[in-house]
Amino acid sequence: MSKTIVFKFGGASVKDAKSIENLFNILFNRLRNRTLIVISAMGKTTNGLEEILRLKLNGDLTSSNSAKIKDFHLGICREIFPPESMIFSIIENLFMQMDRDLDKPLTQENYDAYYDQIVSYGELLSSRILQEYLCFKGIFCIWQDAREIISTNSNYRFVEVDWDKTKNLCLKHLGSKLEQYPVVTQGFIGADPKGKTTTLGREGSDFTAAILAFCLNAQSVTIWKDVDGVRNADPKRFPDTVKFEELDYREAAELAFYGASVIHPKTIKPLANLSIPLYVKSFLSPEAVGTKICQVSEPMHIPCTVVKDNQILVSFRVTDFTFIAESHIHRVYEVLKKLKLKVNMLQVSAISISIVIDMEMFALDQLISTLQNDFSVKYNDALQLITVKNQNADLVEALLKGKEALLEQVTRSTFQFVHKP
Ligand SMILES: Nc1ncnc2c1ncn2[C@@H]1O[C@H](COP(=O)(O)OP(=O)(O)O)[C@@H](O)[C@H]1O
Ligand SMILES: N[C@@H](CC(=O)OP(=O)(O)O)C(=O)O
């Protein structure tokens, strides 16, 4: 029996009618037995759904907000489907369900679970549209609800995968389907033990592809992007970047960890565990060679620059003339864990702990209010974190030029600093 190949298409690859037609051509030229297609929400739909939640929480949500997202999807469908296609009633139905969900009260307390229910509609819509379109164009394929195959805990918005259960579910639901037809499923979403929808973290569809590849012991994963592969810096931010033809799992995982948005940070581990290669290719030039991420025996340690926006630097200072001890660090981390916040940079001095975290809804207020009795807390927001991996002095100097580093850190291989852009 041949092994499964997994293709993942992100939001940019399905952002309009032309992109969906392009996606069809990519698949048409590559279809083979046992093809699994993982799809993200179309264009910036997830951002739009997050905005709906923000408005709802502030009491400013009107029906025109979800109508805008609906019109975006219907507009694309009108360009690629005949008027009698079933897709139009499928979309109407999904929006009816979403509007019903949005009638329920939203508070800060139920925000994370509510978020997962609403934001998942992006992937439910895109996967339905893609499956209908492929069938309409002659590629018969099956729609698989990812919530039936990806089992997670209930830590909404930041769930952990139940690997054993997911593996069993994949074999049960996908094993024989993949033998017959390509399967289309949603990235980014799963379900908890009660069957409630969960999400894997923003940009988590790459991770979905890796989870499914691991559970099916796939032959390869290909993620289709608007760039020609992984480069030593984001080509949208820096000129003269270099593309990696091959990149070691470890190097790729570190770049993703520091914030190279081309790959979701959790994607690499499951693939590396089974030596499943990950190809990063361009949906704009599908024939071009992309980047192969695999085990490389002698990795080249080329300097790489990673930029992460929307960072907050928070400093906790002791106020009672003591010094920072393990108990202070423990206290800060305890609260960070409770608030589901990940530290991107940490520095401890005699009298203060400084951390750099992502900007998250409510998180800063909660962090400060919880710890203000233990420390004097100060923060700077709207910062940028720049990381240079495999650093060299010239590159670091060039990056620092004209910027005021609010916090910097250097190890033998890595240089990091935050500044106000
Ligand atoms: N090191 C890098 N190499 C290539 N692209 C990068 C890198 N770092 C960031 N990017 C950015 O990642 C983007 C693709 O990722 P993303 O937009 O998340 O894809 P999608 O949402 O379609 O899956 C590119 O447009 C590019 O600007
Ligand atoms: N739609 C989700 C999941 C995702 O992975 O999207 P993309 O593949 O477009 O980054 C998000 O925007 O976070």
Side-chain angles (χ1 to χ4, degrees):
M1 186 173 75
S2 60
K3 284 185 162 189
T4 301
I5 53 168
V6 181
F7 286 153
K8 180 261 166 171
F9 292 94
S13 65
V14 281
K15 69 178 192 317
D16 53 26
K18 242 172 79 192
S19 314
I20 298 178
E21 283 160 4
N22 179 53
L23 193 161
F24 166 80
N25 288 326
I26 291 176
L27 284 173
F28 187 75
N29 294 327
R30 287 166 184 79
L31 267 191
R32 67 172 214 19
N33 201 7
R34 298 190 73 86
T35 302
L36 177 59
I37 302 153
V38 175
I39 181 93
S40 302
M42 294 164 82
K44 301 281 178 209
T45 300
T46 310
N47 292 355
L49 293 166
E50 282 189 345
E51 177 62 7
I52 282 193
L53 292 171
R54 196 189 63 76
L55 292 168
K56 166 98 186 155
L57 203 58
N58 293 343
D60 296 331
L61 184 66
T62 64
S63 56
S64 72
N65 300 110
S66 63
K68 228 160 96 186
I69 299 182
K70 184 165 133 186
D71 287 347
F72 167 70
H73 287 86
L74 286 175
I76 291 176
C77 289
R78 278 189 210 108
E79 286 186 60
I80 56 174
F81 289 100
E84 67 279 10
S85 167
M86 267 179 43
I87 195 63
F88 296 102
S89 43
I90 293 173
I91 292 177
E92 288 293 345
N93 255 317
L94 282 167
F95 276 95
M96 257 160 58
Q97 280 175 36
M98 188 174 96
D99 287 339
R100 220 177 302 136
D101 286 346
L102 280 169
D103 280 340
K104 295 175 193 153
L106 171 63
T107 60
Q108 272 201 30
E109 286 65 47
N110 71 2
Y111 182 81
D112 288 351
Y114 201 107
Y115 175 102
D116 283 0
Q117 306 310 306
I118 298 300
V119 162
S120 59
Y121 279 101
E123 270 68 14
L124 293 173
L125 285 158
S126 61
S127 59
R128 281 290 186 199
I129 293 171
L130 184 66
Q131 185 234 357
E132 281 293 319
Y133 186 67
L134 295 180
C135 289
F136 167 62
K137 295 279 283 185
I139 302 181
F140 189 78
C141 56
I142 299 174
W143 184 84
Q144 172 66 53
D145 192 329
R147 295 167 297 186
E148 286 177 358
I149 49 177
I150 302 230
S151 174
T152 72
N153 65 8
S154 305
N155 187 18
Y156 300 109
R157 291 183 68 203
F158 304 95
V159 289
E160 296 291 327
V161 174
D162 181 334
W163 291 93
D164 289 338
K165 213 166 150 195
T166 300
K167 196 168 175 176
N168 287 334
L169 290 169
C170 282
L171 296 177
K172 179 174 157 200
H173 289 285
L174 293 176
S176 57
K177 281 181 196 158
L178 281 166
E179 270 309 300
Q180 295 169 348
Y181 299 108
V183 173
V184 176
T185 194
Q186 311 80 48
F188 182 51
I189 71 174
D192 72 0
K194 289 190 195 133
K196 243 181 121 132
T197 306
T198 57
T199 64
L200 305 175
R202 282 303 307 264
E203 291 163 15
S205 299
D206 293 346
F207 184 36
T208 300
I211 296 167
L212 298 177
F214 176 86
C215 291
L216 296 164
N217 191 14
Q219 180 178 309
S220 66
V221 175
T222 306
I223 51 179
W224 295 90
K225 302 272 170 178
D226 62 356
V227 275
D228 59 355
V230 181
R231 294 185 157 261
N232 69 333
D234 183 345
K236 285 190 187 138
R237 293 182 190 264
F238 295 93
D240 309 323
T241 56
V242 181
K243 191 187 85 184
F244 292 100
E245 302 254 306
E246 260 191 359
L247 187 61
D248 189 59
Y249 287 125
R250 193 170 288 278
E251 295 270 309
E254 275 187 52
L255 286 181
F257 173 83
Y258 291 128
S261 57
V262 65
I263 306 168
H264 185 275
K266 289 187 174 172
T267 310
I268 304 296
K269 187 176 185 298
L271 301 179
N273 283 352
L274 290 184
S275 299
I276 299 169
L278 171 65
Y279 296 94
V280 180
K281 280 175 69 82
S282 165
F283 59 78
L284 300 168
S285 3
E287 302 308 325
V289 184
T291 298
K292 179 180 182 185
I293 299 170
C294 55
Q295 191 166 348
V296 177
S297 50
E298 285 181 24
M300 288 192 299
H301 297 291
I302 295 173
C304 298
T305 309
V306 181
V307 179
K308 214 166 158 39
D309 288 317
N310 297 323
Q311 301 294 294
I312 312 177
L313 167 63
V314 195
S315 301
F316 305 93
R317 211 181 147 109
V318 281
T319 51
D320 57 358
F321 300 101
T322 56
F323 296 116
I324 293 288
E326 288 77 359
S327 57
H328 295 109
I329 302 173
H330 181 258
R331 174 80 185 121
V332 172
Y333 265 80
E334 195 179 51
V335 178
L336 289 167
K337 186 168 178 222
K338 205 166 137 230
L339 296 175
K340 305 178 186 177
L341 286 170
K342 180 180 148 274
V343 175
N344 297 326
M345 201 171 159
L346 163 75
Q347 211 166 73
V348 180
S349 74
I351 53 166
S352 71
I353 300 168
S354 299
I355 55 164
V356 177
I357 52 175
D358 293 338
M359 180 70 203
E360 279 282 351
M361 192 100 152
F362 324 126
L364 185 63
D365 290 347
Q366 287 178 334
L367 186 66
I368 294 174
S369 62
T370 319
L371 287 169
Q372 65 191 1
N373 291 335
D374 307 74
F375 303 95
S376 140
V377 187
K378 289 209 172 108
Y379 73 90
N380 303 73
D381 61 2
L383 303 182
Q384 196 174 59
L385 169 61
I386 301 187
T387 305
V388 187
K389 199 176 126 44
N390 309 324
Q391 54 134 328
N392 68 47
D394 289 348
L395 178 57
V396 168
E397 194 189 322
L399 285 166
L400 277 169
K401 202 169 169 198
K403 300 184 184 91
E404 188 199 349
L406 300 174
L407 189 73
E408 60 180 68
Q409 207 161 63
V410 58
T411 69
R412 247 172 295 182
S413 65
T414 309
F415 182 86
Q416 288 189 293
F417 68 98
V418 269
H419 75 111
K420 187 112 185 165

